[in-house]
Amino acid sequence: MARIVQKFGGTSVGDLDRIKEVARRIKATRDEGHEVVVVVSARSGVTNELLAKAAAINPQPHEREMDMLLAVGEQETIALMAMALHALGVPATSRTGGQAGILTSPSHTRARIMRIDPAKLEDRLKAGEVVIVAGFQGIDLEGQITTLGRGGSDLSAVALAAALHADLCQIFTDVEGVYTADPRIVPEARLIPEISYDEMLELASLGSKVMQARSVELAKKYGVTFEVRSSFTQNPGTIVKEEVVSMEDVVVRGAAADKDQAKIIVSNILDKPGSAARVFQALAKAEVLVDMIVQNVGRNGIANLTFTVPRGDARRAEAAVAALLDDLGGGHVTVFESIAKLSVVGVGMRNHSGVAATVFTALAEAGVNIQMISTSEIKISLIIDLDQADRATRAVHAAFKLGEQAPAAVGG
Ligand code: ADP
Ligand code: ASP
Ligand code: MG
């Protein structure tokens, strides 16, 4: 007998037929003699509908009320899933995040999981029940409902797998697993049978929404090996686990494009010590997450500073910087919203040269202009025009032959 956490995302539980289908799958796992903890998302589209309703009623809703509203989506699914299991004769019980003992920080809409009290679920498992937990939500010390950020059901599943010492954590979704690029954008993308936490984390943070980035971080921290697979087929999917040496044979594992970025240029500011510090202190105070930063070589005592932020933060960042301009000797702040960040990722890059050259050549041949570049040990990211993002992703995917079986060898 094993203890298994199974998470089903929005499309997997998208309508009543899908919920019944998933219930049959859960029953099959339980019939094999396993203890099953199920984590579910809201039906696909529901979270977005709730967000739209909030926006229509108040453009600046209080975050506490936002969480109260958003938690409803998952709560509908847990109840329906429990009913579907009861209809199949399976003992099952639903739990909100709070009832499942998921204690979070009080930061509404972006709470962090602080602790999970496993005793709450252990009892039910011992009683032979399937426990169905609402993903994406928890409760803070004061008993307020919190949510964990978009895609947060993945995090609920991984955290529960760690807290309950599960033998297996399965993330069921609407594609066969993790691909070399988003298969909806790159038709030649290939399923990756095994990937390291670090590569998965980079792909997730850089725009591959198949897993929420924080869930991968947590899995790495607690050594939770997990499987990403389809709820529509019986195929095996992708195993995400600790890096093994052979993974370094593959130079580039995958490509991702993040289309939710904006670029901000602060031009004609005084080129003197402290200018950049002032700008980034103001951005930190405004709780803007800054990603890439480039400062050009100052000329005639004047410099330009360019950086990227999540598109949703762009106007807040613009206002924060605009308030400083007088102190920085004048200058302008300009926001460019039509950009995307394209990245290639692979742990094998540590030991190989020539990756950047291949990316630049592929983009040059595809007529894509590169606006900014940043590199780390296992990734290269580039800022390009938003409307060229899909074409550019396909171009780099082809350049590294990611759609072919054999891993591409690059340079030295
Ligand atoms: P769920 O509702 O199950 O959480 P998501 O919509 O959050 O599912 O994530 C699955 C989607 O992620 C897929 O439909 C696919 O379009 C997208 N995706 C983006 N990048 C990748 C990738 N590299 N591999 C697989 N899917 C990807
Ligand atoms: N329902 C939430 C969302 O749409 C959480 C999730 O699906 O993981 O972001
Ligand atoms: Mg998701």
mmCIF file of all heavy atoms in Angstrom, residues 7 9-11 154 172-175 177-184 208-210, ligand 1:
data_model
loop_
_atom_site.group_PDB
_atom_site.id
_atom_site.type_symbol
_atom_site.label_atom_id
_atom_site.label_comp_id
_atom_site.label_asym_id
_atom_site.label_seq_id
_atom_site.Cartn_x
_atom_site.Cartn_y
_atom_site.Cartn_z
ATOM 1 N N LYS A 7 -3.120 15.424 -7.953
ATOM 2 C CA LYS A 7 -3.685 16.767 -8.168
ATOM 3 C C LYS A 7 -4.282 16.851 -9.569
ATOM 4 O O LYS A 7 -3.656 16.438 -10.545
ATOM 5 C CB LYS A 7 -2.593 17.828 -7.993
ATOM 6 C CG LYS A 7 -3.074 19.259 -8.224
ATOM 7 C CD LYS A 7 -2.575 19.841 -9.525
ATOM 8 C CE LYS A 7 -3.258 21.115 -9.907
ATOM 9 N NZ LYS A 7 -2.744 21.715 -11.141
ATOM 10 N N GLY A 9 -5.877 19.523 -12.328
ATOM 11 C CA GLY A 9 -5.989 20.941 -12.670
ATOM 12 C C GLY A 9 -7.341 21.279 -13.295
ATOM 13 O O GLY A 9 -8.203 20.405 -13.467
ATOM 14 N N GLY A 10 -7.498 22.553 -13.643
ATOM 15 C CA GLY A 10 -8.784 23.095 -14.080
ATOM 16 C C GLY A 10 -9.443 22.374 -15.252
ATOM 17 O O GLY A 10 -10.653 22.107 -15.215
ATOM 18 N N THR A 11 -8.684 22.066 -16.291
ATOM 19 C CA THR A 11 -9.292 21.412 -17.455
ATOM 20 C C THR A 11 -9.673 19.973 -17.107
ATOM 21 O O THR A 11 -10.671 19.447 -17.599
ATOM 22 C CB THR A 11 -8.313 21.394 -18.640
ATOM 23 O OG1 THR A 11 -7.619 22.627 -18.669
ATOM 24 C CG2 THR A 11 -9.024 21.199 -19.959
ATOM 25 N N ASP A 154 -0.904 23.521 -7.587
ATOM 26 C CA ASP A 154 0.315 22.692 -7.687
ATOM 27 C C ASP A 154 1.067 22.752 -6.356
ATOM 28 O O ASP A 154 1.572 21.743 -5.855
ATOM 29 C CB ASP A 154 1.244 23.220 -8.797
ATOM 30 C CG ASP A 154 0.639 23.115 -10.179
ATOM 31 O OD1 ASP A 154 -0.181 22.209 -10.401
ATOM 32 O OD2 ASP A 154 0.995 23.949 -11.048
ATOM 33 N N PHE A 172 -1.858 15.818 -12.415
ATOM 34 C CA PHE A 172 -2.583 15.494 -13.643
ATOM 35 C C PHE A 172 -3.009 16.787 -14.328
ATOM 36 O O PHE A 172 -3.578 17.681 -13.696
ATOM 37 C CB PHE A 172 -3.826 14.665 -13.322
ATOM 38 C CG PHE A 172 -3.510 13.253 -12.940
ATOM 39 C CD1 PHE A 172 -3.362 12.898 -11.607
ATOM 40 C CD2 PHE A 172 -3.357 12.272 -13.915
ATOM 41 C CE1 PHE A 172 -3.075 11.587 -11.240
ATOM 42 C CE2 PHE A 172 -3.071 10.958 -13.558
ATOM 43 C CZ PHE A 172 -2.919 10.615 -12.221
ATOM 44 N N THR A 173 -2.739 16.872 -15.641
ATOM 45 C CA THR A 173 -3.083 18.094 -16.358
ATOM 46 C C THR A 173 -3.645 17.757 -17.734
ATOM 47 O O THR A 173 -4.057 16.608 -17.968
ATOM 48 C CB THR A 173 -1.845 19.026 -16.389
ATOM 49 O OG1 THR A 173 -2.212 20.256 -16.988
ATOM 50 C CG2 THR A 173 -0.676 18.424 -17.155
ATOM 51 N N ASP A 174 -3.668 18.755 -18.643
ATOM 52 C CA ASP A 174 -4.315 18.532 -19.942
ATOM 53 C C ASP A 174 -3.318 18.286 -21.070
ATOM 54 O O ASP A 174 -3.683 18.305 -22.234
ATOM 55 C CB ASP A 174 -5.238 19.723 -20.275
ATOM 56 C CG ASP A 174 -4.504 21.050 -20.288
ATOM 57 O OD1 ASP A 174 -3.274 21.068 -20.060
ATOM 58 O OD2 ASP A 174 -5.159 22.084 -20.513
ATOM 59 N N VAL A 175 -2.039 18.111 -20.741
ATOM 60 C CA VAL A 175 -1.045 17.675 -21.734
ATOM 61 C C VAL A 175 -0.337 16.448 -21.137
ATOM 62 O O VAL A 175 -0.509 16.147 -19.956
ATOM 63 C CB VAL A 175 -0.019 18.794 -22.076
ATOM 64 C CG1 VAL A 175 -0.657 19.858 -22.948
ATOM 65 C CG2 VAL A 175 0.566 19.414 -20.809
ATOM 66 N N GLY A 177 2.606 15.835 -20.246
ATOM 67 C CA GLY A 177 3.693 16.029 -19.291
ATOM 68 C C GLY A 177 4.398 17.328 -19.624
ATOM 69 O O GLY A 177 3.791 18.238 -20.199
ATOM 70 N N VAL A 178 5.675 17.409 -19.259
ATOM 71 C CA VAL A 178 6.458 18.612 -19.551
ATOM 72 C C VAL A 178 7.129 18.409 -20.905
ATOM 73 O O VAL A 178 7.786 17.394 -21.137
ATOM 74 C CB VAL A 178 7.515 18.848 -18.456
ATOM 75 C CG1 VAL A 178 8.308 20.110 -18.761
ATOM 76 C CG2 VAL A 178 6.858 18.930 -17.080
ATOM 77 N N TYR A 179 6.964 19.361 -21.790
ATOM 78 C CA TYR A 179 7.517 19.294 -23.146
ATOM 79 C C TYR A 179 8.710 20.235 -23.272
ATOM 80 O O TYR A 179 8.921 21.119 -22.430
ATOM 81 C CB TYR A 179 6.451 19.698 -24.170
ATOM 82 C CG TYR A 179 5.411 18.648 -24.437
ATOM 83 C CD1 TYR A 179 4.452 18.337 -23.481
ATOM 84 C CD2 TYR A 179 5.377 17.965 -25.647
ATOM 85 C CE1 TYR A 179 3.484 17.366 -23.729
ATOM 86 C CE2 TYR A 179 4.425 16.992 -25.904
ATOM 87 C CZ TYR A 179 3.477 16.697 -24.940
ATOM 88 O OH TYR A 179 2.535 15.742 -25.185
ATOM 89 N N THR A 180 9.430 20.075 -24.391
ATOM 90 C CA THR A 180 10.590 20.937 -24.659
ATOM 91 C C THR A 180 10.172 22.395 -24.885
ATOM 92 O O THR A 180 11.009 23.291 -24.840
ATOM 93 C CB THR A 180 11.360 20.419 -25.890
ATOM 94 O OG1 THR A 180 10.400 20.165 -26.929
ATOM 95 C CG2 THR A 180 12.112 19.132 -25.575
ATOM 96 N N ALA A 181 8.911 22.632 -25.164
ATOM 97 C CA ALA A 181 8.332 23.985 -25.239
ATOM 98 C C ALA A 181 6.826 23.790 -25.152
ATOM 99 O O ALA A 181 6.347 22.649 -25.231
ATOM 100 C CB ALA A 181 8.700 24.673 -26.554
ATOM 101 N N ASP A 182 6.071 24.875 -24.988
ATOM 102 C CA ASP A 182 4.619 24.753 -24.914
ATOM 103 C C ASP A 182 4.106 24.089 -26.198
ATOM 104 O O ASP A 182 4.220 24.651 -27.276
ATOM 105 C CB ASP A 182 4.001 26.152 -24.743
ATOM 106 C CG ASP A 182 2.500 26.074 -24.489
ATOM 107 O OD1 ASP A 182 1.884 25.042 -24.804
ATOM 108 O OD2 ASP A 182 1.949 27.072 -23.979
ATOM 109 N N PRO A 183 3.533 22.877 -26.087
ATOM 110 C CA PRO A 183 3.117 22.164 -27.302
ATOM 111 C C PRO A 183 2.012 22.891 -28.071
ATOM 112 O O PRO A 183 1.790 22.608 -29.240
ATOM 113 C CB PRO A 183 2.616 20.813 -26.767
ATOM 114 C CG PRO A 183 2.367 21.015 -25.311
ATOM 115 C CD PRO A 183 3.277 22.111 -24.857
ATOM 116 N N ARG A 184 1.337 23.832 -27.426
ATOM 117 C CA ARG A 184 0.307 24.586 -28.152
ATOM 118 C C ARG A 184 0.936 25.643 -29.061
ATOM 119 O O ARG A 184 0.290 26.176 -29.953
ATOM 120 C CB ARG A 184 -0.644 25.278 -27.171
ATOM 121 C CG ARG A 184 -1.416 24.271 -26.354
ATOM 122 C CD ARG A 184 -2.451 24.907 -25.449
ATOM 123 N NE ARG A 184 -2.739 24.001 -24.347
ATOM 124 C CZ ARG A 184 -3.493 22.910 -24.457
ATOM 125 N NH1 ARG A 184 -4.053 22.622 -25.601
ATOM 126 N NH2 ARG A 184 -3.685 22.119 -23.419
ATOM 127 N N SER A 208 6.725 28.774 -18.614
ATOM 128 C CA SER A 208 6.005 27.517 -18.906
ATOM 129 C C SER A 208 5.028 27.247 -17.786
ATOM 130 O O SER A 208 5.397 26.736 -16.743
ATOM 131 C CB SER A 208 6.973 26.329 -18.953
ATOM 132 O OG SER A 208 7.883 26.529 -19.965
ATOM 133 N N LYS A 209 3.765 27.573 -18.009
ATOM 134 C CA LYS A 209 2.850 27.549 -16.864
ATOM 135 C C LYS A 209 2.394 26.141 -16.485
ATOM 136 O O LYS A 209 1.519 25.970 -15.634
ATOM 137 C CB LYS A 209 1.654 28.456 -17.121
ATOM 138 C CG LYS A 209 0.703 27.925 -18.172
ATOM 139 C CD LYS A 209 -0.631 28.639 -18.077
ATOM 140 C CE LYS A 209 -1.621 27.963 -18.994
ATOM 141 N NZ LYS A 209 -2.982 28.312 -18.789
ATOM 142 N N VAL A 210 3.001 25.109 -17.078
ATOM 143 C CA VAL A 210 2.567 23.748 -16.775
ATOM 144 C C VAL A 210 2.709 23.421 -15.281
ATOM 145 O O VAL A 210 1.923 22.659 -14.734
ATOM 146 C CB VAL A 210 3.279 22.720 -17.693
ATOM 147 C CG1 VAL A 210 4.775 22.746 -17.517
ATOM 148 C CG2 VAL A 210 2.744 21.319 -17.500
HETATM 149 P P1 ADP B 1 -3.757 22.813 -15.016
HETATM 150 O O1 ADP B 1 -5.084 23.472 -15.129
HETATM 151 O O2 ADP B 1 -3.811 21.335 -15.106
HETATM 152 O O3 ADP B 1 -2.962 23.304 -13.833
HETATM 153 P P2 ADP B 1 -2.284 24.604 -16.756
HETATM 154 O O4 ADP B 1 -3.130 25.246 -17.816
HETATM 155 O O5 ADP B 1 -1.932 25.416 -15.561
HETATM 156 O O6 ADP B 1 -2.976 23.226 -16.337
HETATM 157 O O7 ADP B 1 -0.934 24.053 -17.405
HETATM 158 C C1 ADP B 1 -0.971 23.189 -18.514
HETATM 159 C C2 ADP B 1 -0.663 23.975 -19.781
HETATM 160 O O8 ADP B 1 0.687 24.437 -19.732
HETATM 161 C C3 ADP B 1 -0.701 23.154 -21.050
HETATM 162 O O9 ADP B 1 -2.006 23.104 -21.574
HETATM 163 C C4 ADP B 1 0.294 23.869 -21.975
HETATM 164 O O10 ADP B 1 -0.322 24.655 -22.959
HETATM 165 C C5 ADP B 1 1.059 24.799 -21.047
HETATM 166 N N1 ADP B 1 2.523 24.678 -21.180
HETATM 167 C C6 ADP B 1 3.383 25.719 -21.284
HETATM 168 N N2 ADP B 1 4.635 25.301 -21.400
HETATM 169 C C7 ADP B 1 4.593 23.947 -21.375
HETATM 170 C C8 ADP B 1 5.597 22.922 -21.458
HETATM 171 N N3 ADP B 1 6.897 23.210 -21.582
HETATM 172 N N4 ADP B 1 5.189 21.633 -21.385
HETATM 173 C C9 ADP B 1 3.876 21.332 -21.232
HETATM 174 N N5 ADP B 1 2.898 22.250 -21.169
HETATM 175 C C10 ADP B 1 3.233 23.552 -21.235
#
